[in-house]
Amino acid sequence: MKKKNSVFIATSLDGFIADKNGGIDWLDTIPEINTVDSGYAEFTSKIDAMVMGRATFETVCGFDMDWPYEKPVFVASTKLDRIPEAYAGKAFLLKGTLVEMLEEIYRQGYSQLYIDGGRLIQSFLKEDLIDEMVITIIPVLLGSGAPLFGEVSEMLRFECKKSVRYVDAIVQNHFVRKRDV
């Protein structure tokens, strides 16, 4: 079973995934993007589970919509004691180190993982546990907020496999981790 940890996320031009108040309304500054296929369905067809940070999980739970995920969602949290009843059987709580959490997910038969949530992605990168990233850049400057990237232990090299422009405004880059063999 080949294991792969992937990211699919949008950032502002200055690298933020949420504004200074945690808001993501800026993602809708170019509403035309919602009328085209930007690869999300294809991306999620290749994963078998999602690993989400607590803050992202709580944000999704606050949306006025039905649960948007068909695949299992594992919520990495040191603060939650349990998953709310409304999401039982859809989301599963994980605790421990990243390696311990991944081992638990692998034991359950999942190996193609979608990693979501700013702090969780930063933690995975710091431990060099991200294999690919699809980053969609929305051309707005937020000036501050939640950054996608944080400190890493050493330089991590990625190779850009593909860049696509959508609705003449948005650029999506697909990066693959370049590892020394």
Side-chain angles (χ1 to χ4, degrees):
M1 151 173 74
K2 180 159 173 42
K3 299 169 182 136
K4 186 161 117 180
N5 299 325
S6 304
V7 171
F8 191 101
I9 199 161
T11 71
S12 63
L13 193 57
D14 48 356
F16 296 103
I17 58 171
D19 66 24
K20 64 184 175 187
N21 299 315
I24 56 173
D25 293 346
W26 57 272
L27 289 170
D28 294 324
T29 55
I30 302 178
E32 299 88 350
I33 192 63
N34 297 319
T35 66
V36 298
D37 177 6
S38 61
Y40 183 77
E42 179 184 354
F43 174 82
T44 56
S45 74
K46 296 176 183 174
I47 59 114
D48 50 26
M50 184 175 208
V51 184
M52 182 181 291
R54 178 198 49 84
T56 301
F57 173 69
E58 290 174 346
T59 298
V60 171
C61 291
F63 291 156
D64 186 24
M65 60 189 280
D66 291 334
W67 185 245
Y69 308 108
E70 295 177 13
K71 300 189 179 176
V73 174
F74 294 92
V75 180
S77 176
T78 58
K79 295 183 179 176
L80 285 179
D81 293 322
R82 63 181 176 78
I83 295 294
E85 189 64 35
Y87 304 101
K90 300 173 185 173
F92 307 91
L93 187 60
L94 289 175
K95 292 189 177 279
T97 67
L98 291 181
V99 171
E100 290 168 342
M101 288 187 279
L102 287 173
E103 286 173 355
E104 175 59 28
I105 293 168
Y106 299 151
R107 265 194 297 276
Q108 294 184 39
Y110 303 106
S111 60
Q112 306 298 302
L113 305 177
Y114 172 6
I115 312 303
D116 195 24
R119 285 179 291 228
L120 187 64
I121 292 168
Q122 288 179 9
S123 296
F124 267 73
L125 285 166
K126 193 168 189 174
E127 298 295 324
D128 194 10
L129 294 170
I130 295 295
D131 301 299
E132 75 173 338
M133 295 186 291
V134 178
I135 302 173
T136 304
I137 301 169
I138 310 297
V140 298
L141 292 174
L142 297 177
S144 65
L148 174 57
F149 300 111
E151 185 179 320
V152 291
S153 303
E154 60 185 56
M155 180 177 68
L156 303 177
R157 293 180 60 212
F158 285 82
E159 182 178 352
C160 186
K161 289 293 193 181
K162 182 177 169 184
S163 290
V164 181
R165 197 167 129 193
Y166 294 105
V167 297
D168 291 328
I170 295 170
V171 176
Q172 183 179 81
N173 296 303
H174 184 168
F175 299 99
V176 174
R177 178 73 172 94
K178 192 168 182 170
R179 299 183 192 280
D180 297 328
V181 179

